[in-house]
């Protein structure tokens, strides 16, 4: 989410893992978790197609991120999805193709 409350590298800004260094902090890489792999949701990866979400990427992240969802269902539930580990570029749904084709994944 890119907004006034979530656009600060020194605060929480992603559902996932943020890798930074130095003081002041410099962004290295972000591993984002999307909500659903198989259909549109506002919390999906921004690289999903058709547009995966309405989320904007924070300017300090740029293109330095991977995003994937481990949830193959058509809704979000309180389940730990273990069949599709995040950020491995495998078992990507149709809409996650762009995300899983990211260089270096």
């Amino acid at each position: 989410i890119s907004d006034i409350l979530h656009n600060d590298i020194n605060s929480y800004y992603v559902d996932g893992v943020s890798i930074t260094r130095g003081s002041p902090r410099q962004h290295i890489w972000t591993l984002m978790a999307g909500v659903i792999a198989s259909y549109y949701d506002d919390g999906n990866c921004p690289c999903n197609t058709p547009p995966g979400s309405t989320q904007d990427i924070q300017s300090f992240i740029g293109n330095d991120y991977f995003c994937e969802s481990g949830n193959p269902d058509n809704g979000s539930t309180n389940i730990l999805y273990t069949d599709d580990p995040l950020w491995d570029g495998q078992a990507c749904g149709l809409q996650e193709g762009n995300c899983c084709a990211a260089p270096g994944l």
Side-chain angles (χ1 to χ4, degrees):
I1 298 173
S2 181
D3 61 31
I4 193 75
L5 298 175
H6 300 99
N7 202 20
D8 182 350
I9 196 168
N10 295 307
S11 185
Y12 59 94
Y13 62 85
V14 68
D15 287 336
V17 177
S18 170
I19 302 169
T20 62
R21 71 173 199 90
S23 178
R25 282 181 159 179
Q26 296 174 331
H27 179 262
I28 304 298
W29 202 260
T30 296
L31 300 164
M32 299 177 187
V35 174
I36 300 167
S38 59
Y39 81 101
Y40 179 84
D41 184 271
D42 282 343
N44 281 357
C45 296
C47 45
N48 280 16
T49 56
S53 75
T54 57
Q55 307 302 326
D56 292 324
I57 301 294
Q58 292 85 345
S59 60
F60 57 85
I61 293 177
N63 291 321
D64 298 328
Y65 72 94
F66 290 139
C67 187
E68 188 176 353
S69 173
N71 176 1
D73 295 337
N74 288 333
S76 58
T77 57
N78 294 325
I79 295 174
L80 176 60
Y81 293 95
T82 58
D83 291 341
D84 184 10
L86 294 177
W87 315 311
D88 64 351
Q90 304 296 312
C92 297
L94 291 175
Q95 291 187 338
E96 286 185 311
N98 289 341
C99 303
C100 292
L105 186 59

